[in-house]
Amino acid sequence: MTLASPPVAHIAVIGAGIAGLACAQALTDAGLAVTLFDKARGPGGRMSSRHRPDAVVDLGAQAFTARDPAFIAALDTWRHAGCAAGWPDSAWRAGPGGWQRIHDGRERFCGAPRMSAITRYLADQVEQAGAALHPATRIRAIDGAPGALRLQSEQGDIFGPYTQVVIAVPPPQAEPLVQPWDNVLGERCRHLAQRACWAGWAIFDAPLPTPQGVDANWQQAHAEHPALRLVSRNQRKPGRDRQPESVTLLAHSDWSEAHLEDAPAQVADVLLDALATLFSGQPLPALVEHGAHRWRYSQPADGGAFRPENGFIIGAAGLALCGDSLRGGRVEDAWLSGHRLGQRLGQGLTGCD
Ligand SMILES: Cc1cc2nc3c(=O)[nH]c(=O)nc-3n(C[C@H](O)[C@H](O)[C@H](O)COP(=O)(O)OP(=O)(O)OC[C@H]3O[C@@H](n4cnc5c(N)ncnc54)[C@H](O)[C@@H]3O)c2cc1C
């Protein structure tokens, strides 16, 4: 008689934003088999960038900070690989009283030559380590049994079995996946609400005007405007000096939620008009193209009381949750949440510290 060998650990990760990729990297580092799924055409999630014929515009996070030593070490690797760099170093507050330079003493970073270069780099690393990535695959349900979980895609494909499923998507999108399996995880997801954000973008045929007293290479402006919150000049980001002037225009959460169902073209016009008000009558250059992207789940609402201390949750039925919402709402939080969950699962499934 032969004894049945124990099932080989194989982990599915739903969501290839920075949290899912950091988790996958920690799992492959521990020698585990990993398969990633993302509903989008490529990895990146809220760090994604839009490619237009003339320019690349970042649609989500524009820049991020680094505080935790583990994240600083990862960032050093990305900078060394050339996919991240310091930016911005010329940030301003722009309002009816004029423009004032912001000096908060904190260094910030972005992807180079686009924000999604960081998540592309991480995806390449995990694929080289043997993980499989299925883009354009929205997971609609989890079935099977604990220890042998299967994933159903929207297209009707079945993947698995998996010993563990990591869900690295915003909580409102995680909730329908976990609720049939784990009430406790479902309840957590319901309490971790997300704010919306409209992200406008525009490409011009010449540089934007320089307000009086402002450095011509200004990179970011925090706008005092009822709709517009932040202006980022993509062409002033590292590695993009050959592209024409382009801006990303982030709206306030309150305004975005009040206009959530507006047509993107209408939102793009409002944000462009708001941009024009920052230059006290100096005209904007001619527009080449503009548009707007709606983030229904952009950053967490204050869910502090429902966040686990370690920044991730391992549930009872073989499901685990990670992502920015579980920790704080920033790129660094997302990476740390995924990285630490991956390390914990790696220790549990391989028995190695
Ligand atoms: C407009 C905006 C501005 C921001 N500004 C900043 C900032 O200034 N500083 C900062 O640090 N952070 C900022 N952030 C937040 C930062 O982008 C996020 O914290 C971080 O990118 C979240 O990463 P994540 O991996 O947790 O989630 P995500 O990046 O959202 O990744 C989740 C992934 O899951 C996929 N997915 C969802 N459902 C499914 C499904 N059913 N099946 C398969 N795939 C699925 C999605 O396509 C997505 O790729 C901003 C975000 C936005 C949108």
Side-chain angles (χ1 to χ4, degrees), residues 306-329:
F306 297 95
R307 284 191 193 123
E309 234 171 75
N310 53 9
F312 58 81
I313 310 176
I314 300 179
L319 307 187
L321 290 182
C322 67
D324 65 338
S325 304
L326 279 292
R327 203 177 182 279

Side-chain angles (χ1 to χ4, degrees), residues 148-234:
L149 295 161
R150 292 182 194 277
L151 304 184
Q152 263 179 46
S153 76
E154 201 169 49
Q155 295 92 331
D157 296 318
I158 306 285
F159 299 90
Y162 302 108
T163 37
Q164 182 86 42
V165 176
V166 169
I167 300 150
V169 311
Q173 292 173 313
E175 200 253 328
L177 295 172
V178 302
Q179 182 57 43
W181 285 92
D182 193 325
N183 267 328
V184 179
L185 289 191
E187 185 67 13
R188 282 289 185 115
C189 290
R190 278 191 289 284
H191 282 108
L192 291 166
Q194 291 267 323
R195 304 295 314 263
C197 178
W198 273 107
W201 54 271
I203 301 170
F204 299 100
D205 76 346
L208 286 170
T210 303
Q212 210 181 356
V214 173
D215 151 25
N217 283 321
W218 67 272
Q219 296 162 334
Q220 232 180 13
H222 296 256
E224 290 170 11
H225 184 279
L228 180 62
R229 168 170 76 84
L230 184 68
V231 181
S232 295
R233 295 177 90 180
N234 291 294

Side-chain angles (χ1 to χ4, degrees), residues 15-34:
I18 195 159
L21 291 165
C23 185
Q25 191 171 39
L27 290 166
T28 54
D29 284 352
L32 291 163
V34 178

Side-chain angles (χ1 to χ4, degrees), residues 71-143:
F71 184 64
I72 292 170
L75 174 61
D76 282 347
T77 314
W78 307 338
R79 293 173 80 178
H80 190 69
C83 63
W87 188 90
D89 58 17
S90 176
W92 298 74
R93 185 161 309 288
W99 287 50
Q100 286 93 37
R101 189 148 192 169
I102 300 173
H103 292 285
D104 67 0
R106 193 170 282 287
E107 204 180 351
R108 289 178 172 77
F109 306 89
C110 70
R114 57 189 187 281
M115 189 54 109
S116 61
I118 296 172
T119 43
R120 181 71 266 169
Y121 172 79
L122 286 173
D124 289 346
Q125 296 284 303
V126 297
E127 284 185 307
Q128 278 163 26
L133 170 60
H134 296 273
T137 309
R138 182 193 288 266
I139 301 302
R140 159 179 100 119
I142 301 172
D143 60 25

